[in-house]
Amino acid sequence: MGALVEDARHQVSELEAALGRVADGTYGLCEVCGTAIPSARLEARPAARTCIAHAR
């Protein structure tokens, strides 16, 4: 059960970081190249930090 709790905490942390990007105006921009992250990717993964080309 510890792994589930850790995963939930990680997801909350990622969403909080996404809210920070909304607040500073950088939400939806790739952290690597600065291009817009496609809306379909953001719908599937709202906390996405990179475009598909730079996703690991």
Side-chain angles (χ1 to χ4, degrees), residues 4-54:
L4 292 175
V5 171
E6 184 61 31
D7 185 51
R9 286 184 179 149
H10 177 73
Q11 289 181 21
V12 168
S13 175
E14 287 294 310
L15 291 173
E16 287 174 342
L19 289 173
R21 291 190 302 278
V22 168
D24 70 19
T26 61
Y27 180 77
L29 299 177
C30 176
E31 291 182 347
V32 176
C33 66
T35 61
I37 298 171
S39 60
R41 176 161 169 73
L42 292 172
E43 285 178 31
R45 188 165 181 234
R49 295 174 180 259
T50 61
C51 64
I52 292 176
H54 292 110

